[in-house]
Amino acid sequence: MIQSGRASLTVVSTETDPALISEILGLVPTRVALRGSVRRSGRPLEHNVWTIDVEQSPNADADADETGTQALRDLVTGARPAIGKLSRLPDDCDAKIWWSADSDSTQGGFVLRAELAASIAELGVDVYATVYLEGGESTEAEQ
């Protein structure tokens, strides 16, 4: 079962200033990286990155909520002011939701409830998802 997750709404732009993205969307980012700033690798960033993050969010009540999508739900709820506005971003902007989750088993099942899918659709942005699985222990037969 999904134990925790992280989610981000990210807008990448080649020219549009992140301050304009905030103005258009009516949201304040949790972080911004400007084109030309130096990455950890030492290479300059080739685009602007505007992001709202929901950091590590535990699956609130695993017994009552087996969906495993708490961080994604929190992000979508926080991004509601941007409904209908993402399509107004300039053409050089690309918006995505990134969601990742940690499973306590070698299967990473989650449920994307219809209400959550509808809320994502209202935002008009695609979700890129990854579930990280707990590594299984090999048996003698597998060795």
Side-chain angles (χ1 to χ4, degrees):
M1 177 191 306
I2 301 299
Q3 298 299 303
S4 64
R6 295 152 300 287
S8 300
L9 171 61
T10 300
V11 180
V12 174
S13 66
T14 53
E15 299 295 326
T16 302
D17 187 279
L20 180 58
I21 294 169
S22 294
E23 184 179 322
I24 292 169
L25 298 182
L27 296 169
V28 177
T30 54
R31 62 188 164 102
V32 168
L34 298 176
R35 185 181 59 197
S37 60
V38 180
R39 300 177 190 202
R40 287 182 288 196
S41 67
R43 295 180 37 191
L45 193 60
E46 297 178 7
H47 47 269
N48 297 312
V49 182
W50 179 102
T51 304
I52 293 178
D53 289 311
V54 173
E55 294 298 328
Q56 190 78 12
S57 178
N59 191 15
D61 181 0
D63 292 332
D65 176 16
E66 295 180 2
T67 67
T69 57
Q70 184 66 47
L72 183 56
R73 286 195 316 270
D74 291 348
L75 177 70
V76 170
T77 298
R80 287 196 63 74
I83 290 175
K85 298 177 183 175
L86 285 160
S87 63
R88 297 181 198 161
L89 291 171
D91 290 340
D92 73 306
C93 294
D94 183 31
K96 293 180 173 124
I97 290 177
W98 299 92
W99 172 66
S100 62
D102 302 302
S103 175
D104 65 350
S105 70
T106 56
Q107 294 183 353
F110 61 91
V111 177
L112 192 58
R113 298 238 185 257
E115 311 86 60
L116 178 56
S119 294
I120 294 167
E122 280 184 292
L123 282 172
V125 63
D126 294 331
V127 176
Y128 291 75
T130 302
V131 175
Y132 296 97
L133 307 176
E134 180 178 281
E137 298 196 20
S138 61
T139 65
E140 284 185 38
E142 295 173 332
Q143 293 178 356

